[in-house]
């Protein structure tokens, strides 16, 4: 039985709308990843957006938990049920059915579809929920219903807001294999396994802690797919099921050693983590030093280290990608499409880590010898910063040894590094979630964009909002705010394309246009007064035409990159404006100058061919069957817009495009660079922007030719380089010739030199003196204008150079320091140089 399909089909038969799994990267700015099945519906539950139609839904949502509140990562491989990546089956009611139906649906699916024996099932409810108790009595014996408190059976989204009691269905795996003191219903043992959680969202908790009944109570349920599959297959561990064993068997082949559950934690870690990496990379996440890319890196490197423990000393994880796709690809079609990209990305990451893992473990083992209870935070930071060991990987290794980590020192060093780089990651997301958007959607629905066909139109003002996104009736001279137009021609920033600007009836400037939920709103600054209900004449700026040209050029660029570099190339981000385009794409290495030239030449060839741009509206399935490229994570409706330039480029896209490729004009690549591991970036220009760019280059070229006094710029630069080399050689010879001898005296068996030199490199001169004496202390001074340079060197003598410099430098108004064998300083007062030399000599003699 395909349990995933059986679940979704069952709830479809009950009138629920099936939703595809949302991307692992959520729209919710407070979350790094989607960590529960209800996350994609959070704004519906909180009332930020209206209820969908129908108001009941079902989904199989991919989820990821890798630390924080849900600290699953450290448990993965050591327990039967913990995973980083997992799937959550769920059915939801947004103010429609409530407890009675939710309980009935759950019981019917578990007993009649999954056919779990009734005698194996138990139920828990909140100790105050008499209503749920009455409904459950109609399905299961009263003595199999257990009441528990807030800790186990009460759910809340936050300290305030929607919340309510919950009810859980448990499966008894039997006392014969589970007999620890925690193996009781409600305990932490594995005998009674929770398979379904039903949340009865019936209250709104206010700031005083009072529970106020919600006018339309809702249902949020969750069933862990992996554990249900394991139970259905009669397995006591998720890892023994058909979802994981094929992966573990592949690892067995690589290692050459049979997997035994009791000693097999490393096999399980690898099997779990390769699933996570596959889904993240397929969904567009890239390895990085921060943010989501860092989470993925630490997961993959944790798996690599476990492979290393099993004896795998070269990249191996990328070879498991096909096996996971064989298991999960039928339901998640994009996995197979991304196979080449995923394998390359994982292999490159493995190669990076394998270069340093042996050295890192050697450092770790060396520090272990000096560790009694607490491992050095400095060494842990060096493992992270130099050898690429994520912190929790080091903590894993220490946990195996029963040791603690000096986390305070590690975090202190980490903060110092962040302060230096000023690159701390911040979650993405919009902070404007308190605006009056819900009311606008309920009153007007989404306002339609009609700008494909026109850039000028008479529109009705449906609503006005101030800068805090609160509804107002009018905006006056000098004020700023947002306007909602009926059937607006202003394109909202979307899909990488910049939002439109323009004018409204000569009384307002449109600075930008953005999308908030389904609303198309334009940001305006008033030069007069505008009121809700007014009819206004709107005109889109001419910048739109240039933006459109750059957008179409991006499509052609994407197609050409796939053609020249390979089909592993996929879009990883883009920005398109009237001034330029920026296109990020997956590719493991920098493009050569030859490849850049080929790409540029090929795009210009397509432009010159004058290919007609065709836009068609069709279903998502028809679009994909036609070969149209879609971006993972983009939200597409039932009907989508497909933009094509013959067979050269076919993509799903809601942006604006040229009617013919010839309108793009000259296409010029201005820069190619790296963004992160496995992601490259091309910046380019076309039309008027490329003309200006080339014009500026021509001016710069002519000015450079004048500077080098040669019409052949390359030859002129070559001549200057030769002249510079000759002058450097002459200068070096002059300094060498002018390097006067210095005077010194013996103090015991140590040569003491304190002197001034006129030219040359002061450090090199000290090194020469140290090389020519067995024991020497030397301090040299050099005057540069009113300033004094000074340096000290010590070889096999008791004097410390740093202390010597610190004692002498203040005399000439300076300061400095350094090592015991070499130190240097600078001073502001050259008039006291003779005094400094006397004191320096005195200090040396007294301290030898």
């Amino acid at each position: 039985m395909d349990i995933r399909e059986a679940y979704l089909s069952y709830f479809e038969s009950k009138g629920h709308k099936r939703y595809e799994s949302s991307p692992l990267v959520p729209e919710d700015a407070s979350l790094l990843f989607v960590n529960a099945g209800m996350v994609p519906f959070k704004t519906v539950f909180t009332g930020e957006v209206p209820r969908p139609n129908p108001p009941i839904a079902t989904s199989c949502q991919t989820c990821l938990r890798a630390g924080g509140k849900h600290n699953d990562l450290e448990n993965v491989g050591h327990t039967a049920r913990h995973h980083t990546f997992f799937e959550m089956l769920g059915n939801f009611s947004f103010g429609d059915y409530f407890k009675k139906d939710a309980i009935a649906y759950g019981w019917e699916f578990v007993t009649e579809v999954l056919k779990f024996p009734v005698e194996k099932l138990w139920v828990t409810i909140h100790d105050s929920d008499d209503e749920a108790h009455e409904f459950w009595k109609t399905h299961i014996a009263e003595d199999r219903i257990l009441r528990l408190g807030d800790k186990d059976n009460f759910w809340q989204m936050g300290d305030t807001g929607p919340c309510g009691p919950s009810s859980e269905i448990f499966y008894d795996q039997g006392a014969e294999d589970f007999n620890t003191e925690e193996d009781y219903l409600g305990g932490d043992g594995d005998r009674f396994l929770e398979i379904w959680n039903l949340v009865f969202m019936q209250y709104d908790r206010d700031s005083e802690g009072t529970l106020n009944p919600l006018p339309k109570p809702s249902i949020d349920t969750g069933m862990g797919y992996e554990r249900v599959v394991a139970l259905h297959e009669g397995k006591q561990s998720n890892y023994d099921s058909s979802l994981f064993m094929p992966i573990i068997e592949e690892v067995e082949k690589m290692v050459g050693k049979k997997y035994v559950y009791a000693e097999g934690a490393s096999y399980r870690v690898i099997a779990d983590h390769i699933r996570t990496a596959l889904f993240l990379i397929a969904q567009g996440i890239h390895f990085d030093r921060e943010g989501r890319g860092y989470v993925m890196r630490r997961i993959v490197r944790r798996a690599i280290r476990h492979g290393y423990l099993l004896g795998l000393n070269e990249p191996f994880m990328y070879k498991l990608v096909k096996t996971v796709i064989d298991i999960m690809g039928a339901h998640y079609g994009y996995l197979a499409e991304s196979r080449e990209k995923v394998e390359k990305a994982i292999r490159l990451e493995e190669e990076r880590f394998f270069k340093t893992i042996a050295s890192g473990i050697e450092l770790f083992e060396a520090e272990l010898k000096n560790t009694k209870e607490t491992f050095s935070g400095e060494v842990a930071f060096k493992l992270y910063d130099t050898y690429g060991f994520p912190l929790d990987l080091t903590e894993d290794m220490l946990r195996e040894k029963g040791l603690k980590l000096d986390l305070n020192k590690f975090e202190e060093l980490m903060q110092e590094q962040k302060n230096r780089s000023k690159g701390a990651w911040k979650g993405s997301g919009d902070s404007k979630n308190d605006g009056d958007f819900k009311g606008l959607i309920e009153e007007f629905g989404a306002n339609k964009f009609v700008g494909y066909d026109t850039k000028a139109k008479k529109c009705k003002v449906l609503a006005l909002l101030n800068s805090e996104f609160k509804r107002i009736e009018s905006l006056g001279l000098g004020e700023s705010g947002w306007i909602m137009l009926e059937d607006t021609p202003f394109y909202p920033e979307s899909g990488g394309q910049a939002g439109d600007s323009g004018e409204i009836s000569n009384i307002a400037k449109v600075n930008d246009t953005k999308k908030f939920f389904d609303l198309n709103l334009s940001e305006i600054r008033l030069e007069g007064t505008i009121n809700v209900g007014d009819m206004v004449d709107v005109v889109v700026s001419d910048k739109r035409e240039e933006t459109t040209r750059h957008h179409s050029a991006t499509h052609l660029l994407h197609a050409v990159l796939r053609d020249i570099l390979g089909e592993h190339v996929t879009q990883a981000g883009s920005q398109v404006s009237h001034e330029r385009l920026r296109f990020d794409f997956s590719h493991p290495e920098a493009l050569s100058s030859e490849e850049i030239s080929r790409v540029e030449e090929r795009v210009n060839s397509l432009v010159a061919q004058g290919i007609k741009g065709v836009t068609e509206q069709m279903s998502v399935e028809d679009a994909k069957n036609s070969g149209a490229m879609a971006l993972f994570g983009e939200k597409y409706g039932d009907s989508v817009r497909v933009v094509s330039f013959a067979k050269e480029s076919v993509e799903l896209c809601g942006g604006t495009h040229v009617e013919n490729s010839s309108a793009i004009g000259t296409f010029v690549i201005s820069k190619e660079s790296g963004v992160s591991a496995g992601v490259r970036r091309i910046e380019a220009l076309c039309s008027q922007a490329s003309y200006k760019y080339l014009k500026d280059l021509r001016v710069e070229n002519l000015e450079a030719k004048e500077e080098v006094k040669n019409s052949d710029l390359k030859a002129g630069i070559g001549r200057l380089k030769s002249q510079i080399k000759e002058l450097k050689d002459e200068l070096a010879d002059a300094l060498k010739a002018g390097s006067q001898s210095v005077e010194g005296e013996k103090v015991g068996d140590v040569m003491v030199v304190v002197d001034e030199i006129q030219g040359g490199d002061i450090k090199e001169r000290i090194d020469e003196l140290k090389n020519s004496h067995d024991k020497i202390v030397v301090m040299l001074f050099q005057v540069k204008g009113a300033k004094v340079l000074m340096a000290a060197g010590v070889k096999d003598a008791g004097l410390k150079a740093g202390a010597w410099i610190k004692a002498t430098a203040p005399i000439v108004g300076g300061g400095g320091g350094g090592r015991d064998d070499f130190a240097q300083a600078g001073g502001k007062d050259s008039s006291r140089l003779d005094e400094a030399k006397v004191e320096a000599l005195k200090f040396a003699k007294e301290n030898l």
Side-chain angles (χ1 to χ4, degrees):
M1 176 194 294
D2 183 339
I3 291 176
R4 188 194 294 112
E5 181 58 34
Y7 183 94
L8 297 171
S9 296
Y10 171 82
F11 280 99
E12 279 186 313
S13 74
K14 303 297 183 182
H16 294 62
K17 180 179 178 179
R18 181 191 298 211
Y19 286 83
E20 294 297 320
S21 174
S22 291
L24 286 166
V25 175
E27 294 182 353
D28 186 341
S30 66
L31 295 174
L32 204 58
F33 296 105
V34 169
N35 57 20
M38 60 78 65
V39 170
F41 302 107
K42 182 177 175 181
T43 53
V44 181
F45 281 124
T46 58
E48 293 174 66
V49 299
R51 298 188 303 162
N53 185 26
I56 52 178
T58 185
S59 68
C60 179
Q61 175 62 44
T62 55
C63 302
L64 199 158
R65 295 179 182 176
K69 177 183 176 183
H70 302 288
N71 196 13
D72 289 12
L73 184 59
E74 68 179 48
N75 294 317
V76 170
H78 301 288
T79 69
R81 320 247 170 250
H82 279 98
H83 304 292
T84 49
F85 170 89
F86 61 95
E87 297 175 80
M88 185 65 74
L89 300 164
N91 59 284
F92 310 91
S93 166
F94 311 112
D96 192 81
Y97 65 81
F98 199 45
K99 290 182 188 178
K100 181 178 180 180
D101 289 333
I103 288 170
Y105 291 151
W107 187 253
E108 183 178 26
F109 182 78
V110 167
T111 58
E112 297 185 21
V113 180
L114 295 181
K115 298 189 182 303
F116 285 158
V118 173
E119 63 271 16
K120 291 281 190 180
L121 301 177
W122 295 76
V123 169
T124 64
I125 60 173
H126 190 261
D127 54 17
S128 67
D129 199 349
D130 295 334
E131 186 180 22
H133 184 268
E134 291 302 310
F135 290 134
W136 272 120
K137 280 198 314 182
T138 65
H139 300 290
I140 191 171
E142 248 185 295
D143 60 359
R144 300 176 80 84
I145 304 172
L146 179 68
R147 292 176 183 262
L148 297 174
D150 286 359
K151 178 178 177 291
D152 297 287
N153 282 93
F154 195 89
W155 176 93
Q156 57 190 52
M157 194 175 293
D159 293 334
T160 60
C163 57
S166 64
S167 176
E168 297 171 323
I169 303 176
F170 285 82
Y171 186 95
D172 182 0
Q173 298 194 86
E176 58 274 14
D177 294 314
F178 302 92
N179 49 25
T180 71
E181 61 182 21
E182 288 293 337
D183 282 315
Y184 61 90
L185 188 59
D188 291 331
D190 275 347
R191 175 182 169 182
F192 293 93
L193 186 64
E194 176 207 331
I195 58 174
W196 205 327
N197 183 24
L198 300 92
V199 174
F200 307 131
M201 211 178 297
Q202 64 188 90
Y203 300 116
D204 179 24
R205 190 191 297 274
D206 62 25
S207 57
E208 302 297 321
T210 304
L211 296 177
N212 303 297
L214 287 169
K216 292 185 177 180
S218 298
I219 292 292
D220 163 25
T221 76
M223 172 182 269
Y225 177 62
E226 287 78 7
R227 64 177 56 188
V228 175
V229 169
L231 281 177
H232 200 262
E233 294 177 356
K235 309 296 183 182
Q236 292 182 349
S237 167
N238 293 2
Y239 292 97
D240 289 341
S241 75
S242 58
L243 298 177
F244 291 92
M245 278 310 298
I247 311 172
I248 290 174
E249 288 163 1
E250 285 300 311
V251 179
E252 280 182 327
K253 294 176 188 176
M254 296 176 185
V255 175
K257 183 180 177 182
K258 194 70 178 172
Y259 165 69
V260 178
Y261 193 90
E263 298 92 34
S266 290
Y267 292 84
R268 294 190 289 274
V269 168
I270 293 167
D272 173 274
H273 290 4
I274 186 61
R275 295 185 354 141
T276 306
L278 167 58
F279 273 82
L280 285 175
I281 297 170
Q283 293 187 17
I285 303 300
H286 304 281
F287 291 106
D288 207 340
R289 286 181 65 88
E290 52 195 9
R292 297 179 177 103
Y294 175 67
V295 173
M296 182 168 70
R297 171 164 283 163
R298 76 186 194 190
I299 288 171
V300 168
R301 292 193 170 187
R302 185 173 188 262
I304 296 170
R305 184 250 171 179
H306 278 276
Y308 191 82
L309 291 176
L310 294 173
L312 298 172
N313 297 314
E314 59 182 28
F316 66 92
M317 283 190 69
Y318 77 96
K319 299 175 183 176
L320 300 171
V321 169
K322 179 181 181 300
T323 303
V324 184
I325 292 174
D326 289 343
I327 298 168
M328 308 185 74
H331 189 74
Y332 300 103
Y334 61 87
L335 296 180
E337 297 168 6
S338 305
R339 177 182 167 184
E340 182 184 358
K341 175 181 76 171
V342 174
E343 288 177 338
K344 281 189 175 182
I346 293 176
R347 189 182 75 247
L348 282 171
E349 181 65 15
E350 290 189 272
E351 288 171 353
R352 287 188 196 96
F353 194 38
F354 268 114
K355 287 179 181 177
T356 60
I357 190 171
S359 300
I361 289 178
E362 185 179 333
L363 173 63
F364 177 82
E365 295 290 347
E367 183 59 27
L368 277 183
K369 296 175 183 177
N370 304 321
T371 304
K372 292 183 178 179
E373 294 182 0
T374 305
F375 191 83
S376 164
E378 290 96 332
V379 174
F381 182 76
K382 187 172 183 180
L383 285 169
Y384 163 80
D385 197 45
T386 304
Y387 298 101
F389 279 57
L391 174 62
D392 40 11
L393 176 52
T394 302
E395 289 178 318
D396 258 3
M397 294 157 65
L398 291 172
R399 198 175 296 112
E400 292 167 5
K401 306 288 184 182
L403 296 172
K404 299 175 183 177
L405 171 67
D406 184 354
L407 193 57
N408 289 336
K409 186 62 179 179
F410 177 90
E411 290 177 345
E412 177 188 324
L413 294 170
M414 192 69 179
Q415 190 58 49
E416 287 177 7
Q417 185 193 68
K418 286 183 177 180
N419 290 341
R420 286 193 299 270
S421 65
K422 295 181 180 178
W425 180 85
K426 295 180 180 178
S428 62
D430 203 313
S431 60
K432 308 176 182 71
N433 289 328
D434 295 327
D436 291 339
F437 305 124
K438 181 190 173 190
L440 292 175
I441 294 173
E442 289 179 339
E443 185 174 348
F444 302 112
N447 54 333
K448 185 179 178 183
F449 170 68
V450 295
Y452 295 125
D453 304 314
T454 181
K455 292 200 303 173
K457 191 178 184 298
K458 186 176 285 291
C459 299
K460 182 179 181 180
V461 179
L462 294 181
L464 294 167
L465 298 93
N466 61 20
S467 56
E468 282 76 42
F469 297 92
K470 298 299 182 182
R471 292 181 70 172
I472 52 178
E473 289 301 311
S474 66
L475 282 168
L477 179 65
E479 292 184 319
S480 296
W482 296 82
I483 189 169
M484 179 180 179
L485 299 169
E486 186 177 28
D487 296 342
T488 176
F490 291 109
Y491 184 82
E493 180 183 349
S494 180
Q497 180 172 333
D500 279 339
S501 58
E503 293 188 0
I504 299 178
S505 293
N506 296 319
I507 56 172
K509 296 286 186 185
V510 175
N511 297 322
D512 198 1
T513 303
K514 293 182 181 292
K515 207 164 191 175
F516 300 92
F517 300 104
D518 289 328
L519 303 175
N520 183 335
L521 305 180
S522 291
E523 184 182 17
I524 57 175
R525 182 166 182 82
L526 275 294
E527 297 174 352
T529 299
I530 197 166
N531 302 291
V532 172
D534 287 352
M535 294 299 297
V536 291
D537 293 310
V538 302
V539 179
V540 178
S541 164
D542 289 339
K543 290 179 181 178
R544 158 84 80 79
E545 293 301 321
E546 290 299 299
T547 302
T548 294
R549 293 180 176 114
H550 281 95
H551 197 159
S552 295
T554 304
H555 280 221
L556 296 183
L557 172 62
H558 189 185
V560 168
L561 287 169
R562 287 175 62 84
D563 184 48
I564 291 177
L565 303 179
E567 293 194 357
H568 64 277
V569 169
T570 54
Q571 181 174 331
S574 72
Q575 280 190 1
V576 178
S577 71
H578 68 286
E579 295 177 310
R580 63 166 189 160
L581 68 87
R582 192 182 80 192
F583 186 74
D584 297 345
F585 57 98
S586 55
H587 189 61
E589 56 196 359
L591 273 66
S592 65
S593 57
E594 180 187 352
E595 286 173 327
I596 293 172
S597 294
R598 286 176 61 200
V599 170
E600 190 177 74
E601 184 177 328
R602 175 66 177 148
V603 173
N604 278 297
S605 174
L606 296 178
V607 170
Q609 288 175 35
I611 303 170
K612 184 179 180 183
V614 177
T615 303
E616 299 175 275
Q617 206 76 24
M618 59 181 76
S619 70
V620 173
E621 285 306 310
D622 287 344
K624 290 181 178 178
N625 292 336
S626 74
M629 290 189 64
L631 297 182
F632 187 88
E634 283 291 313
K635 290 188 175 181
Y636 299 109
D638 296 330
S639 179
V640 294
R641 196 165 175 268
V642 177
V643 178
S644 60
F645 291 91
K647 293 183 179 179
E648 301 293 343
S649 169
V650 185
E651 291 191 33
L652 273 65
C653 183
T656 60
H657 287 276
V658 298
E659 295 181 359
N660 190 290
S661 66
S662 61
I664 293 171
T666 303
F667 173 85
V668 178
I669 293 176
S670 58
K671 186 178 181 181
E672 191 274 346
S673 60
V675 177
S676 60
V679 181
R680 306 300 301 177
R681 169 174 292 170
I682 280 180
E683 296 176 48
L685 311 100
C686 64
S687 190
Q688 294 182 32
S690 64
Y691 169 73
K692 183 179 183 303
Y693 176 79
L694 294 172
K695 180 182 175 183
D696 290 345
L697 277 181
R698 182 179 63 192
V699 171
E700 287 177 13
N701 184 272
L702 291 172
E703 290 175 347
K705 286 178 179 179
E706 289 181 13
E707 288 292 326
V708 301
K709 309 299 183 185
N710 198 316
S711 59
D712 185 334
L713 186 58
K714 190 173 180 180
I717 292 173
R719 189 186 73 245
L720 285 177
K721 288 171 71 176
S722 296
Q723 290 175 351
I724 290 169
K725 184 178 183 304
E726 289 173 8
L727 290 170
K728 281 185 175 179
D729 291 342
E730 289 176 10
L731 178 61
D733 291 342
L735 290 174
K736 190 173 182 181
S739 181
Q740 78 276 18
S741 60
V742 294
E743 296 184 3
E745 61 181 285
K746 279 280 188 124
V747 177
D749 60 348
V750 179
M751 175 61 71
V752 179
V753 176
V754 177
D755 208 344
E756 176 186 359
I757 62 173
Q758 302 302 317
D761 187 297
I762 196 168
K763 184 179 184 303
E764 286 183 7
R765 191 74 179 100
I766 288 175
D767 288 341
E768 289 172 5
L769 289 166
K770 288 169 71 175
N771 290 335
S772 61
H773 293 81
D774 293 331
K775 295 183 177 182
I776 186 172
V777 296
V778 53
M779 181 178 290
L780 296 181
F781 298 84
Q782 192 175 64
V783 176
K784 299 275 190 179
K787 295 182 180 179
V788 179
L789 299 180
M790 54 190 296
V794 174
K795 178 182 177 183
D796 293 336
L799 188 65
K800 292 184 178 181
W804 197 11
I805 279 285
K806 286 181 180 177
T808 309
I811 298 171
V812 291
R819 306 186 306 268
D820 291 349
D821 63 334
F822 181 79
Q824 54 190 347
K828 303 174 184 176
D829 187 0
S830 61
S831 67
R832 299 183 66 189
L833 178 59
D834 289 338
E835 181 183 347
K837 290 195 301 188
V838 170
E839 291 300 320
L841 185 60
K842 179 182 177 183
F843 184 95
K845 289 179 177 180
E846 290 175 351
N847 288 277
L848 281 174

